[in-house]
Amino acid sequence: MAVTIRDVAREARVSVASVSRALNGSPAVTDETRQRIASIAQRLRYVPHSAARSLITKRTQTIGALLPDLYGEFFSELIRGIDLAARAKGLHLLVSSSHGDADEAAAALRAMQGRVDGMLILSPHVDAAFLRANLPESTPAVLLNSAFDSPQFDVLNIDNYGGAYAMTRHLLDAGHASVTFVGGPEDNFDAQQRERGYREAMAEFAPKAVAKVVAGDFSEESGYLAGRALAKNARPLPAVFAANDMMAVGCLRAFAESRLRVPQDVALAGFDDIPIARYVVPALTTVRVRIVDLGRRALECVAAAIEKPGRARGAAQTLACEVVVRASSGGEAKPSKPV
Amino acid sequence: MAVTIRDVAREARVSVASVSRALNGSPAVTDETRQRIASIAQRLRYVPHSAARSLITKRTQTIGALLPDLYGEFFSELIRGIDLAARAKGLHLLVSSSHGDADEAAAALRAMQGRVDGMLILSPHVDAAFLRANLPESTPAVLLNSAFDSPQFDVLNIDNYGGAYAMTRHLLDAGHASVTFVGGPEDNFDAQQRERGYREAMAEFAPKAVAKVVAGDFSEESGYLAGRALAKNARPLPAVFAANDMMAVGCLRAFAESRLRVPQDVALAGFDDIPIARYVVPALTTVRVRIVDLGRRALECVAAAIEKPGRARGAAQTLACEVVVRASSGGEAKPSKPV
DNA sequence: CGGCGGAATGTAAACGTTTTCATCCGGGTT
DNA sequence: AACCCGGATGAAAACGTTTACATTCCGCCG
């Protein structure tokens, strides 16, 4: 049915070995025969059978990506970065996303076994035991945004700490006497790091003020509730720094209901720079994370691990964030045109 | 190194054929031996080598998804739907996205050759010639949201026409004497269909009014410009229906600058129901498209084509949309809490 | 009691590559 | 002239499955 290496060999009057060599760029073949074989292969539309090749080379040229139940921009951007880098390296991308719990993730991980040369794993469910149980020893893997730190695996994290630290500092520098933090879920790694960044910046740059954290869970609703509670406090209000943009949007709604003007009565900042952040009124000051870079770096990292199997594992990299100042923090007045 | 079917066979004191049969559920094997083999396989952590299996069965259990340079919510939701359906069917998902032009898409399509049993293709660049040149005859493919209609391929479209028709009708029913349409890019299939839906609804439900279309290109900026132009018109202003939400957001900004109140002075609606639509003020009336369902249906469609190779191709399905009424059209006043 | 049929299992070919090893050939060295 | 060396090519094994076909075994019927 399909054209195989044999057909090309027959047509070119050489052995299959020569065809293989010619097409794979082995030096042990005359330029002239290489040309001839190449042109015949092209004419016949020969495409090497990837399964047969994988069988013998033990390489699939494929990277697996294991992702949790992820929504919106973050997911797209991450995949974009991974995909771009994979294409540049001639690798394919096998995706398995939308994993709600550890069991689903485990099943997905096992299902990928043997189909991929390496893995990119972003999941709140991973820990040492999970990986030992579900990931073959020999498969290189890069953990994304994971609290889990092991000499076995490379880890690539967002600098949540640094971003929150920088934002807190920015708010204090802008003249606010104090900053209140709206926290994320307690068991969330990102949330923990962001809170730590906030606390340390407060300790350093506002030693007289006291750090104050109100609870939240990253949802818009929890931000709304937090905002409503904060609006009752004594004036002047401290600046509010929400652990993510969705909660900041919730705060914004609560403040609007309480007839509080942002940023005149209360300054507000978020974290993530989701697209909505540019379009709420006033536009939200936030911390931007270059998700595309996260994906790209992750893929390059696992590709490197595949190429050099003996290489030391366990490198931990951190991806910098940047403060994006918009109208909501009062740092800059640009209410009309989105950035 | 890795454990193969031979190891299992040796351990179980049977032939490899029996192991294969037992693990693949062939009826020609005693329940007792099946049990024994299964437990040994599990103990040895045997996983069939997928490449070897593909080599002989000519199946990869993998679906390829070819996507253009897609951003945000649409991409995530689409992949989510595809992934969910794929998992349910035990299929893997090979993704190649971010294709800017036809050449890139062609290269990606060819690279997937032999690695997938079927393809999901969403790309403005596909047409008959493109597919003939880059897709093997035998590979089933489903085209998503494509103007190209051929008896060769299944096509799955969003009901842009019906959604725009329904929205226009909704605005007219709500008491607006006329509706002005802000169009999308001229060569865009979605935009064309939406405009057609608008025109036909106008002709049918507002025969005395005249359909009016101002140009746009789906960008927020083009919506802003359109909104500014419209704000100059004679009062009372007709309702404004933008061909997508981003342009509607742009209109909103222009109206705010012109001190026009929405919906009191001008009613506004968009299309897509992007997340931002809920958070702008006032919240945007729009047309919702169930992208997850699009992905799910597409995968089920290609899976069906793979299972029954002889089946008739060329079925065209259409995915219904629904009008989502929020504050911006004045149909319902719910300015505070997002839906 | 012999043969037959069907169920369970085994044997080996086939899938399409890559790669090791062998072969061949021409030319330079001794 | 004999030898060797190195470069180009070919033959065949190997990768780990599935499956067509062969074999074995056992009970049952004539």
Side-chain angles (χ1 to χ4, degrees):
Chain A
M1 198 84 231
V3 29
T4 79
I5 199 173
R6 284 212 154 60
D7 303 319
V8 179
R10 183 165 354 99
E11 192 81 1
R13 307 190 171 289
V14 294
S15 71
V16 294
S18 292
V19 177
S20 175
R21 281 191 275 253
L23 267 28
N24 289 325
S26 153
V29 62
T30 276
D31 265 353
E32 184 262 331
T33 49
R34 184 194 308 283
Q35 292 290 345
R36 190 164 42 104
I37 291 174
S39 80
I40 289 178
Q42 189 158 20
R43 176 159 59 79
L44 263 39
R45 290 165 167 271
Y46 166 68
V47 176
H49 193 293
S50 57
R53 180 178 273 180
S54 296
L55 182 56
I56 186 82
T57 60
K58 306 205 170 301
R59 277 284 145 77
T60 62
Q61 310 290 4
T62 303
I63 304 293
L66 183 75
L67 305 173
D69 217 340
L70 231 44
Y71 286 87
E73 196 73 2
F74 187 86
F75 179 85
S76 333
E77 293 294 291
L78 184 63
I79 295 280
R80 176 188 311 279
I82 295 171
D83 192 68
L84 250 28
R87 192 129 30 105
K89 289 207 177 310
L91 294 171
H92 296 260
L93 181 60
L94 201 59
V95 171
S96 185
S97 70
S98 310
H99 300 285
D101 56 44
D103 286 344
E104 277 184 20
L109 206 50
R110 280 198 301 266
M112 285 199 178
Q113 177 139 190
R115 312 185 88 97
V116 299
D117 295 338
M119 293 269 346
L120 264 30
I121 302 178
L122 168 57
S123 169
H125 314 297
V126 303
D127 58 24
F130 177 89
L131 290 175
R132 237 195 319 278
N134 299 299
L135 191 71
E137 190 77 23
S138 55
T139 308
V142 172
L143 271 34
L144 267 58
N145 216 36
S146 163
F148 170 57
D149 196 355
S150 133
Q152 279 274 62
F153 301 97
D154 291 327
V155 180
L156 203 49
N157 279 332
I158 290 171
D159 188 10
N160 288 298
Y161 168 81
Y165 183 93
M167 175 60 82
T168 307
R169 179 175 187 172
H170 162 77
L171 292 169
L172 294 171
D173 282 356
H176 303 286
S178 183
V179 177
T180 297
F181 188 76
V182 182
E186 278 189 24
D187 56 356
N188 183 284
F189 180 57
D190 296 314
Q192 289 161 9
Q193 302 235 308
R194 289 173 191 180
E195 183 170 330
R196 194 166 59 84
Y198 158 76
R199 285 186 187 279
E200 299 202 6
M202 283 293 284
E204 185 160 352
F205 302 109
K208 277 173 272 180
V210 47
K212 184 176 171 217
V213 175
V214 322
D217 64 5
F218 276 172
S219 72
E220 199 262 351
E221 185 64 19
S222 76
Y224 172 77
L225 295 174
R228 220 166 51 175
L230 288 171
K232 297 205 187 92
N233 285 4
R235 305 299 191 264
L237 289 166
V240 175
F241 176 19
N244 77 346
D245 283 349
M246 283 312 294
M247 292 197 299
V249 170
C251 286
L252 209 53
R253 183 156 61 88
F255 294 159
E257 280 186 10
S258 305
R259 305 260 176 265
L260 285 171
R261 292 164 305 163
V262 177
Q264 294 90 332
D265 299 330
V266 54
L268 181 64
F271 203 116
D272 284 343
D273 196 19
I274 62 179
I276 298 173
R278 291 202 256 299
Y279 294 106
V280 291
V281 183
L284 191 62
T285 290
T286 184
V287 180
R288 178 183 302 160
V289 181
R290 298 213 174 275
I291 307 298
V292 171
D293 285 347
L294 181 66
R296 188 200 320 269
R297 293 261 296 267
L299 190 119
E300 282 165 0
C301 186
V302 74
I306 291 167
E307 281 170 24
K308 300 199 178 51
R311 201 200 47 131
R313 304 265 191 98
Q317 296 185 56
T318 296
L319 207 74
C321 303
E322 56 187 306
V323 171
V324 179
V325 179
R326 299 206 182 93
S328 75
S329 67
E332 220 176 30
K334 240 190 172 186
S336 164
K337 165 124 187 208
V339 194
Chain B
M1 197 85 228
V3 29
T4 80
I5 198 173
R6 284 213 154 62
D7 302 322
V8 180
R10 182 166 355 98
E11 193 81 1
R13 308 191 171 287
V14 295
S15 71
V16 293
S18 292
V19 177
S20 175
R21 280 190 277 254
L23 266 28
N24 290 326
S26 154
V29 61
T30 276
D31 264 354
E32 184 263 332
T33 50
R34 184 193 308 284
Q35 293 291 346
R36 190 165 42 107
I37 291 174
S39 81
I40 289 179
Q42 188 157 22
R43 177 160 58 80
L44 263 40
R45 291 167 165 271
Y46 167 67
V47 176
H49 193 292
S50 56
R53 179 178 276 178
S54 298
L55 182 56
I56 186 82
T57 60
K58 307 207 169 297
R59 278 285 145 77
T60 61
Q61 309 289 5
T62 304
I63 304 293
L66 184 75
L67 304 173
D69 217 340
L70 229 45
Y71 286 87
E73 197 74 2
F74 187 87
F75 179 86
S76 331
E77 293 295 290
L78 185 63
I79 296 279
R80 176 188 311 279
I82 295 172
D83 192 69
L84 251 28
R87 191 128 33 105
K89 289 208 177 309
L91 294 172
H92 296 259
L93 181 60
L94 201 59
V95 170
S96 184
S97 70
S98 311
H99 300 284
D101 56 43
D103 287 344
E104 277 184 20
L109 206 50
R110 281 197 301 266
M112 284 198 179
Q113 177 140 186
R115 311 186 89 96
V116 299
D117 296 338
M119 292 268 348
L120 264 30
I121 303 179
L122 167 58
S123 168
H125 315 297
V126 303
D127 58 24
F130 177 90
L131 289 174
R132 237 193 321 275
N134 299 300
L135 191 71
E137 190 76 22
S138 54
T139 308
V142 171
L143 270 34
L144 267 60
N145 216 36
S146 163
F148 169 58
D149 197 356
S150 135
Q152 279 274 62
F153 302 96
D154 292 327
V155 180
L156 203 49
N157 280 333
I158 289 171
D159 188 11
N160 288 298
Y161 168 81
Y165 182 94
M167 176 59 82
T168 307
R169 178 175 189 173
H170 162 76
L171 292 170
L172 293 172
D173 283 355
H176 303 285
S178 183
V179 177
T180 297
F181 189 74
V182 182
E186 280 190 19
D187 55 356
N188 184 284
F189 180 57
D190 295 314
Q192 289 161 11
Q193 301 236 310
R194 289 172 192 182
E195 183 170 331
R196 194 165 60 82
Y198 158 75
R199 286 187 186 279
E200 299 201 7
M202 282 293 284
E204 185 161 350
F205 301 108
K208 278 174 272 183
V210 47
K212 185 176 170 216
V213 175
V214 322
D217 64 5
F218 275 173
S219 72
E220 198 262 351
E221 186 63 18
S222 75
Y224 172 77
L225 296 173
R228 222 167 49 175
L230 288 169
K232 298 206 186 90
N233 285 4
R235 307 298 192 265
L237 289 167
V240 175
F241 177 18
N244 76 346
D245 283 348
M246 282 313 293
M247 293 198 298
V249 170
C251 286
L252 209 53
R253 184 157 60 90
F255 293 159
E257 280 186 9
S258 304
R259 307 259 175 264
L260 285 169
R261 292 164 306 163
V262 178
Q264 294 90 330
D265 300 328
V266 54
L268 180 65
F271 202 118
D272 284 342
D273 196 19
I274 60 179
I276 298 173
R278 290 202 256 300
Y279 295 106
V280 290
V281 183
L284 190 63
T285 290
T286 184
V287 180
R288 177 184 304 162
V289 181
R290 296 211 176 276
I291 306 297
V292 171
D293 285 346
L294 181 68
R296 187 199 321 270
R297 292 261 295 268
L299 190 120
E300 281 165 0
C301 186
V302 74
I306 290 167
E307 280 170 24
K308 301 199 178 55
R311 202 202 46 133
R313 303 265 191 98
Q317 295 186 57
T318 296
L319 207 74
C321 302
E322 56 187 306
V323 171
V324 179
V325 179
R326 299 205 183 94
S328 75
S329 66
E332 221 175 31
K334 241 190 174 187
S336 163
K337 166 128 187 205
V339 194

